[in-house]
Amino acid sequence: MNRRLLPVTVFLTLMLTSLLAGRHNYRVTRDEITADLNQALAQTLLEKKDPIVTQDTIRAYKQLRQTSGGQVLIAVSDERFCRHLKNPRLKQAAFLTFDVMDGDYRGSSMDGQTICSDTLVVRNGRAGETLALKGYTRLSAAAVFGMSDQRLPGGLMAAALLWAIGSMLYLRKREKENPMLQPAEGSVLSAGGGTQSAPDFGGLTYSDADDRFYAADHTPIRFTPMQQQLMRLFWQAPSHSLTKEEICAVLWPKKDDANDTLYTLIRRLKPIVEEHTRLKIVADRGRNYSLEINEMKD
């Protein structure tokens, strides 16, 4: 896996989780507001003191609807309804609406800045009319978001940002401390955005985008994971040359003596390199190993 893929994956996971949790908590708060409006409207109707809508108001409503030729919505600021609301922030902008359910009834709705209760259908005995009542409160999406619990989403977003900053600082520090992880001089960028060598270096190219080596005919060369790591070190090292200590420090950092393991790895890697490229691995008195062009194949 590309060493930059894990930090990006963790960052995107934390950000996505934060957004989903924030959206969930927003919807929970909106549902709680609707439930509060429902219970307040039910409590208001159960009081059965003065009627919420008088006969005069119903007559005025019908006249307005007849005059306008369309739907009419009348909002009533009812003290009882506001008193029964449990959330004090809803009381400041709460009101009731009613429609007469006759042949011209089509239902009604407010703009997107309001939240409404369910519709309650009641019979007004004095006026002889059936009414559709709804409770409303005027709240913007931003206000509902501010009322919701965003501590967990905020913590996840903060963690994502801290992770991104920490990952960038770590990768920069690692590249400075270990020059073998940086591209060698003379390397160029491939069309896919990965790093690959100058095309005349032994017929071998490397793509950082998919972490693969390619032969001169553009076919991928199959290495074992350990062989791949060693070839990448050769490729990125200045002059494509490494000391035994440099190789062992990267491939086997916890092993005190990895000379035999390195020898076996080099012995098995040599024929693969020579078969697919015009390169060879040369040992210099057992202290250095270099990736060089095999002049016998030119």
Side-chain angles (χ1 to χ4, degrees), residues 97-126:
T97 66
F98 77 92
D99 281 333
V100 176
M101 299 185 67
D102 53 16
D104 297 325
Y105 174 73
R106 300 176 186 174
S108 61
S109 61
M110 300 287 288
D111 56 56
Q113 296 293 315
T114 57
I115 300 176
C116 68
S117 68
D118 298 332
T119 302
L120 288 184
V121 178
V122 296
R123 177 71 178 176
N124 189 305
R126 296 181 181 179

Side-chain angles (χ1 to χ4, degrees), residues 196-243:
Q196 67 179 38
S197 70
D200 61 343
F201 185 67
L204 181 69
T205 57
Y206 170 69
S207 172
D208 186 58
D210 54 8
D211 190 23
R212 280 191 175 185
F213 286 92
Y214 293 88
D217 59 355
H218 304 295
T219 58
I221 303 175
R222 298 184 180 277
F223 295 116
T224 66
M226 193 61 71
Q227 291 171 349
Q228 177 80 2
Q229 280 188 273
L230 180 54
M231 285 298 295
R232 194 188 304 118
L233 292 177
F234 276 130
W235 191 255
Q236 296 171 338
S239 302
H240 307 292
S241 179
L242 298 165
T243 65

Side-chain angles (χ1 to χ4, degrees), residues 3-275:
R3 64 179 181 272
R4 297 182 183 274
L5 183 59
L6 177 60
V8 172
T9 302
V10 173
F11 171 76
L12 292 178
T13 300
L14 288 172
M15 286 296 293
L16 180 60
T17 305
S18 172
L19 294 174
L20 291 176
R23 182 176 182 272
H24 171 74
N25 291 349
Y26 170 85
R27 294 182 66 87
V28 167
T29 301
R30 190 178 177 92
D31 291 342
E32 290 174 350
I33 293 173
T34 301
D36 196 4
L37 293 172
N38 285 336
Q39 67 83 24
L41 181 58
Q43 289 291 332
T44 302
L45 292 176
L46 286 176
E47 284 191 1
K48 295 183 179 179
K49 293 181 180 179
D50 298 328
I52 297 176
V53 183
T54 63
Q55 293 178 317
D56 292 339
T57 305
I58 294 174
R59 283 196 294 268
Y61 167 82
K62 285 188 169 183
Q63 290 176 356
L64 286 171
R65 190 172 63 181
Q66 184 177 6
T67 302
S68 64
Q71 287 297 107
V72 175
L73 186 65
I74 295 182
V76 180
S77 179
D78 190 87
E79 181 181 351
R80 292 165 296 179
F81 175 67
C82 294
R83 186 175 67 250
H84 288 303
L85 289 170
K86 297 178 181 180
N87 191 331
R89 296 189 60 177
L90 307 183
K91 298 180 181 182
Q92 301 174 0
F95 56 92
L96 298 173
T97 66
F98 77 92
D99 281 333
V100 176
M101 299 185 67
D102 53 16
D104 297 325
Y105 174 73
R106 300 176 186 174
S108 61
S109 61
M110 300 287 288
D111 56 56
Q113 296 293 315
T114 57
I115 300 176
C116 68
S117 68
D118 298 332
T119 302
L120 288 184
V121 178
V122 296
R123 177 71 178 176
N124 189 305
R126 296 181 181 179
E129 300 286 354
T130 301
L131 305 179
L133 294 174
K134 274 188 177 183
Y136 283 87
T137 186
R138 187 171 293 277
L139 284 175
S140 65
V144 177
F145 184 84
M147 294 169 61
S148 62
D149 185 2
Q150 298 297 325
R151 288 175 295 180
L152 176 60
L156 290 172
M157 184 169 293
L161 296 176
L162 290 175
W163 174 269
I165 295 172
S167 298
M168 288 189 294
L169 293 176
Y170 170 76
L171 290 174
R172 288 181 182 178
K173 181 180 179 181
R174 188 181 175 192
E175 290 177 354
K176 290 180 180 179
E177 292 178 349
N178 193 348
M180 289 186 294
L181 295 177
Q182 299 178 8
E185 292 183 6
S187 64
V188 296
L189 291 179
S190 67
T195 304
Q196 67 179 38
S197 70
D200 61 343
F201 185 67
L204 181 69
T205 57
Y206 170 69
S207 172
D208 186 58
D210 54 8
D211 190 23
R212 280 191 175 185
F213 286 92
Y214 293 88
D217 59 355
H218 304 295
T219 58
I221 303 175
R222 298 184 180 277
F223 295 116
T224 66
M226 193 61 71
Q227 291 171 349
Q228 177 80 2
Q229 280 188 273
L230 180 54
M231 285 298 295
R232 194 188 304 118
L233 292 177
F234 276 130
W235 191 255
Q236 296 171 338
S239 302
H240 307 292
S241 179
L242 298 165
T243 65
K244 289 197 308 181
E245 290 75 13
E246 289 173 332
I247 298 174
C248 293
V250 175
L251 298 186
W252 305 284
K254 297 182 180 180
K255 198 169 185 178
D256 294 333
D257 185 3
N259 288 334
D260 292 341
T261 308
L262 174 59
Y263 175 77
T264 303
L265 179 61
I266 293 290
R267 179 171 56 84
R268 294 177 178 176
L269 180 60
K270 278 184 176 181
I272 301 176
V273 172
E274 294 176 4
E275 178 184 355

